[in-house]
Amino acid sequence: MFFIDTLELEGLGNRSYLAGGAHTAVAVDPPRDVDQVLAVAARRGVRISHVVETHVHNDYVSGGLDLARLTGAAYLVPAAARVSFDRTPVHDRDTVTVDVGIALRALTTPGHTPHHTSYVLEERGAAVAVFTGGSLLIGTVGRPDLVEPRLTEKLARAQHASAHRLAAELPDETEVLPTHGFGSFCSSAQADGDATTIGKEKVGNDALVQDVDAFVAGLLAGLDDVPAYYVHMGPANAAGPAPVDLTAPPVADAADIAARLAAGEWVVDLRNRIAFARGHVAGSFNFEADGKIATYLAWLIPWGKPVTLLAESPEQLAKAQRELARVGIDRPAAAAAGEPAEWISANEELRSFPRATFADLAALDPYEHRIVLDVRRESERADGWINDSVHIPIHQLHRRQHELPAGVVWVHCAGGMRAGIAASLLDAAGRDVVAVDDSFDAARSAGLPMVTGPRSDS
């Protein structure tokens, strides 16, 4: 009998897998923090004999090389991938034995990257599951525009062909197990559901129900913004990432925090946005530990900028450090856990700013001067926006704050988390800000004047 264990990486919207039999197993697309993969193997009582990559990842730092070194496993990487370390190159239809009666067969499925490879898990010669990485996802496919702009259309067409190859060669009941598609920006669209099969995809995936021209046109038209840190992930993975270091960073006191802020370093408060708005260190930024901290902090921070983390507990700090290591923010310069009053000197005061709802915004005197700032992405705003609002996507705000006119800024997103980040950025810059902590669905019901159209001015 075979098993498949799924490791959820919710912050990045990815999954990793451990699959095998009674004695040995294979790890698929492992995360940087390999201790959790080792823990799953230990609970199963199996040895990891193989570690495989479906592709050189663009959205996170892989733990594959480190895991292979720690376990002595063979490290399988697509042969066409250009990497700088020793590995076992994988070619189309290569097959390896994982355990008695259990094998893994490679199928080249280019599209997400030129070298992308899927792996079919077989039990006694019959396909039971396929690890599709960034190829065939749940209801969609991996985006084809992360490698090189000149290759995007060619890779989009390859995605269509690869999806059809999987559908043609695998039984309908084969379970489809992608790495991306659960909130990851590597997915070309948001996945619908969390489980699927080849048969279900045949009737519900655009790559399998549309002709290639219609599919490519729709795919390219729907591509969203690419997180800025992605440009650093591929080279790091191709070079061979160093082992992760999750030991506790140096402890920062109030004087150290003040010195780091004065030096232009980033001080990041991990508490929830309600607590941050109520009181925080002047100049600090708010990225909630329970939000998509890895994605948004890595997206906004100038790459390589030292970061100090402030947390309400050691546990919150450790969780955030692990999340950030997955995207190459390896080592906080310093950290502190406790209450915000402990992070400032005796002659300082905490800063604060108000939170509000869309109903509060609608209740303002129409003659009262205020700026409404929408920090959603262009694709979200296209479905409707508040009339006369200023649009600066959250990932552009740090360098475009000067475009905002004078006055109190009421900042909103789709639900509140990104508005909290944006409010902290503006507050640190000395702006008067109100964080609209509300669902955007409430804007229309509050009576705010709305505009709808295909696109808006950014």
Side-chain angles (χ1 to χ4, degrees):
M1 289 290 292
F2 71 93
F3 73 86
I4 301 173
D5 287 334
T6 301
L7 288 79
E8 296 276 1
L9 305 174
E10 293 183 4
L12 294 176
N14 285 334
R15 288 179 177 177
S16 180
Y17 303 93
L18 186 74
H23 307 289
T24 50
V26 56
V28 181
D29 289 343
R32 181 87 179 280
D33 46 326
V34 299
D35 56 333
Q36 61 178 322
V37 185
L38 295 170
V40 173
R43 287 196 296 270
R44 283 283 184 179
V46 296
R47 176 177 62 88
I48 298 176
S49 59
H50 297 82
V51 177
V52 305
E53 303 282 9
T54 56
H55 59 294
V56 175
H57 301 282
N58 289 295
D59 65 326
Y60 69 93
V61 180
S62 171
L65 183 60
D66 191 29
L67 184 59
R69 288 170 175 166
L70 289 171
T71 60
Y75 190 26
L76 278 59
V77 178
R82 298 173 64 87
V83 297
S84 302
F85 48 83
D86 291 334
R87 87 289 192 199
T88 301
V90 178
H91 300 85
D92 190 37
R93 300 194 183 279
D94 281 355
T95 300
V96 296
T97 298
V98 177
D99 205 322
V100 177
I102 300 172
L104 201 66
R105 177 166 55 92
L107 292 178
T108 54
T109 49
H112 187 49
T113 67
H115 59 266
H116 191 284
T117 299
S118 298
Y119 298 88
V120 181
L121 187 69
E122 298 177 334
E123 184 180 39
R124 305 198 184 283
V128 292
V130 56
F131 301 105
T132 55
S135 183
L136 188 66
L137 310 185
I138 300 177
T140 185
V141 296
R143 60 192 300 169
D145 62 327
L146 301 179
V147 177
E148 160 61 52
R150 292 171 296 181
L151 295 178
T152 297
E153 182 173 349
K154 179 180 178 181
L155 290 176
R157 292 181 179 276
Q159 279 289 51
H160 187 270
S162 292
H164 279 263
R165 181 186 188 189
L166 292 169
E169 295 193 19
L170 299 175
D172 283 358
E173 63 272 17
T174 307
E175 190 173 6
V176 175
L177 301 173
T179 300
H180 305 312
F182 310 95
S184 168
F185 280 87
C186 271
S187 176
S188 63
Q190 184 61 46
D192 183 15
D194 61 2
T196 193
T197 62
I198 289 291
K200 290 179 182 178
E201 293 307 303
K202 282 182 177 180
V203 297
N205 194 304
D206 284 349
L208 296 172
V209 299
Q210 294 181 345
D211 65 62
V212 63
D213 291 331
F215 167 75
V216 169
L219 179 62
L220 298 185
L223 292 174
D224 212 333
D225 300 307
V226 178
Y229 70 92
Y230 275 28
V231 71
H232 303 285
M233 300 295 97
N237 287 322
V244 68
D245 181 1
L246 295 177
T247 57
V251 176
D253 60 16
D256 189 35
I257 293 169
R260 293 185 179 282
L261 283 168
E265 298 182 11
W266 275 38
V267 174
V268 173
D269 191 324
L270 302 169
R271 296 174 301 144
N272 69 65
R273 57 187 182 267
I274 299 173
F276 183 87
R278 188 180 300 126
H280 56 270
V281 177
S284 62
F285 303 138
N286 182 217
F287 291 81
E288 294 179 299
D290 292 334
K292 294 176 75 68
I293 180 175
T295 295
Y296 284 103
L297 179 55
W299 198 338
L300 271 64
I301 192 170
W303 199 250
K305 175 80 73 173
V307 60
T308 293
L309 300 179
L310 307 179
E312 63 185 16
S313 68
E315 292 76 19
Q316 186 182 63
L317 176 62
K319 177 185 175 184
Q321 184 178 347
R322 179 179 291 267
E323 290 267 355
L324 294 175
R326 292 171 180 165
V327 293
I329 301 178
D330 281 356
R331 195 84 183 121
E339 295 294 328
E342 303 168 7
W343 304 333
I344 58 173
S345 63
N347 61 345
E348 290 181 293
E349 292 185 358
L350 295 173
R351 281 188 62 88
S352 63
F353 54 77
R355 297 166 54 250
T357 65
F358 283 109
D360 295 324
L361 177 58
L364 290 179
D365 187 314
Y367 296 101
E368 181 176 343
H369 180 61
R370 85 286 187 274
I371 300 101
V372 177
L373 173 62
D374 182 347
V375 297
R376 296 175 300 158
R377 296 187 302 278
E378 182 71 42
S379 59
E380 298 172 280
R381 186 167 162 96
D383 292 331
W385 63 91
I386 298 172
N387 188 39
D388 292 331
S389 60
V390 177
H391 182 218
I392 304 177
I394 181 66
H395 57 278
Q396 299 176 13
L397 182 59
H398 203 60
R399 64 178 185 272
R400 293 179 57 190
Q401 293 184 33
H402 65 277
E403 298 177 19
L404 289 170
V408 178
V409 181
W410 289 63
V411 58
H412 78 85
C413 59
M417 182 194 73
R418 288 172 292 172
I421 296 172
S424 74
L425 296 176
L426 294 170
D427 175 78
R431 295 298 302 263
D432 290 328
V433 63
V434 178
V436 180
D437 197 351
D438 201 357
S439 169
F440 188 70
D441 292 339
R444 183 173 281 104
S445 59
L448 288 163
M450 303 294 292
V451 180
T452 57
R455 296 185 69 83
S456 66
D457 294 332
S458 297

